Amino acid sequence: MSAVLSALIFVFAGTACASPERHSAASTVAHIKVAGVDYVDIRIAFGRLGFKAVWVEREKRMRIHSDKVEIYTEDGKRDVTVNGLRVLMGEPAVFRGNTLYISRIDADALFLPILSPSSVKTPPAPALRVIVLDPGHGGQDAGTQNKALKLDEKNFTLDVAKRLRVLLEKQGFKVVMTRTDDRFIPLAGRAEIANRAEADLFISIHFNAVGGAPAVNGSETYVMTPQFHRSTGSPLRDPSDSVANPGNFNDPWNALLGYHMQAQMVGRLGTFDRGLKRARFAVLRLVKSPAVLVEAGYLSNEAEAKKIATSAYRAEIAEALAQGVSSYALAITTAKR
Ligand SMILES: [Zn+2]
């Protein structure tokens, strides 16, 4: 522990904070508004879960930790790490008074479910029997491509979904696929299949590509952007951010699901961790169950594309996703107790 790091240590008991209040001896209030967004003192948001907050770099970077979990957050940044995993908040942390603040929605709909699923009161922890797998693209929609290697995303998404179906059925889940062959299904149609099947969980499987940046590689996981937040890729807020979509019903469980999927994917595949992100993709917006969209790797990166092209690696991807489901299942079971 460095001298800087040991400069300040805060310990909190569970603190109710329904209204603005003075906090400890410091000139800091529990809640503030920044550009119209509600923020909460990080020491209170995490203190209610028994976490301690410590400056790593005074007035800039904090380490928040319990016995098992370690989080780093920084003034002005939406990026945090949770046990080393990259997680994108909806709004950046801000420094005010003598502490960092995070948005109330990030505190309640991102960190609370990930760190303490049993503390989430609404909606109740979901069931987990029917899982809908959605292999991205198909038919005339090839998805992303690596033309030099003659690789189409649509074939790999279907292959991984079929492998994952076998693994999940072995675990006793009922699995429904949005497609089992090379056909085009509109995005809304995929959500309809899930909703008609009364899905408890929806997993959309994709591979990434980016033009002109062949070095870019790694895995990322998307869940629905919470109501009133902007998506990870949106630098600005938009009036449509305030719309409540069907996918917002499960905001806290989406975060928990996304965290476990991303953790297992990068943990098992050893891919570069591009993070747990938020987007209002059509399938995430329209599906009524907890839902996740995984981008397992980049077809535009030659080394990663060559791996994805092997059936052995696609089997590993399926194993990682199945493990993500298992660890999410364990977390919601714990939450129900
Ligand atoms: Zn795709």
Side-chain angles (χ1 to χ4, degrees):
M1 186 185 279
S2 72
V4 177
L5 191 125
S6 58
L8 272 176
I9 296 181
F10 303 98
V11 185
F12 291 89
T15 312
C17 51
S19 60
E21 60 189 89
R22 308 301 289 181
H23 193 268
S24 76
S27 59
T28 299
V29 291
H31 302 266
I32 58 171
K33 258 195 199 286
V34 179
V37 177
D38 286 331
Y39 272 77
V40 57
D41 183 337
I42 224 166
R43 301 167 301 180
I44 292 172
F46 291 95
R48 66 184 169 171
L49 304 175
F51 281 62
K52 298 171 185 177
V54 183
W55 286 115
V56 179
E57 199 175 329
R58 207 180 163 91
E59 302 189 357
K60 186 172 178 201
R61 187 166 155 81
M62 268 185 163
R63 170 176 178 254
I64 304 140
H65 66 101
S66 68
D67 293 347
K68 293 184 186 139
V69 183
E70 184 176 58
I71 298 164
Y72 286 93
T73 181
E74 188 170 326
D75 178 32
K77 295 262 170 78
R78 292 163 93 185
D79 270 77
V80 297
T81 59
V82 180
N83 278 351
L85 198 77
R86 184 180 185 220
V87 173
L88 277 297
M89 297 193 292
E91 296 291 341
V94 296
F95 175 75
R96 290 284 190 285
N98 65 354
T99 187
L100 288 179
Y101 288 79
I102 55 169
S103 81
R104 185 184 50 75
I105 294 174
D106 284 317
D108 292 346
L110 178 63
F111 292 111
L112 189 68
I114 291 174
L115 302 175
S116 180
S118 59
S119 303
V120 176
K121 297 303 171 220
T122 52
L128 188 50
R129 289 179 295 268
V130 180
I131 300 178
V132 173
L133 300 182
D134 176 42
H137 313 281
Q140 71 266 34
D141 172 13
T144 57
Q145 292 176 297
N146 184 317
K147 292 212 164 124
L149 297 174
K150 297 192 174 60
L151 307 176
D152 288 351
E153 179 187 359
K154 66 174 182 178
N155 298 327
F156 299 143
T157 60
L158 180 59
D159 181 83
V160 169
K162 285 180 172 174
R163 293 170 189 276
L164 180 55
R165 173 175 63 181
V166 172
L167 298 173
L168 294 175
E169 282 175 348
K170 263 191 215 156
Q171 290 185 37
F173 297 112
K174 180 185 173 192
V175 177
V176 174
M177 309 264 290
T178 57
R179 68 179 178 99
T180 53
D181 56 15
D182 184 18
R183 73 175 66 199
F184 177 78
I185 300 170
L187 297 173
R190 295 167 188 259
E192 259 175 55
I193 291 169
N195 292 340
R196 217 180 303 128
E198 299 190 14
D200 297 309
L201 175 58
F202 178 89
I203 303 171
S204 192
I205 299 165
H206 289 255
F207 292 91
N208 241 327
V210 58
V216 172
N217 66 91
S219 306
E220 61 194 9
T221 297
Y222 286 90
V223 293
M224 178 65 186
T225 311
Q227 189 186 8
F228 303 114
H229 262 193
R230 60 202 159 107
S231 296
T232 304
S234 308
L236 300 172
R237 296 200 195 96
D238 184 274
S240 65
D241 294 348
S242 60
V243 174
N245 289 282
N248 287 124
F249 180 76
N250 285 295
D251 277 344
W253 306 114
N254 290 335
L256 178 69
L257 168 66
Y259 178 79
H260 285 286
M261 296 302 280
Q262 178 69 4
Q264 293 298 331
M265 200 161 48
V266 300
R268 298 200 158 233
L269 300 176
T271 44
F272 178 73
D273 175 14
R274 307 192 62 81
L276 169 59
K277 300 179 174 179
R278 308 304 189 101
R280 292 188 174 92
F281 294 142
V283 287
L284 300 179
R285 215 170 53 229
L286 298 172
V287 167
K288 292 177 180 166
S289 70
V292 71
L293 186 148
V294 296
E295 298 273 6
Y298 272 75
L299 288 181
S300 50
N301 177 271
E302 191 178 342
E304 207 157 59
K306 282 182 172 165
K307 278 206 286 184
I308 293 164
T310 69
S311 55
Y313 188 67
R314 293 195 302 274
E316 284 182 46
I317 295 172
E319 291 278 358
L321 298 178
Q323 194 56 49
V325 171
S326 298
S327 61
Y328 164 74
L330 183 63
I332 56 172
T333 305
T334 311
K336 283 175 186 160
R337 281 198 200 117

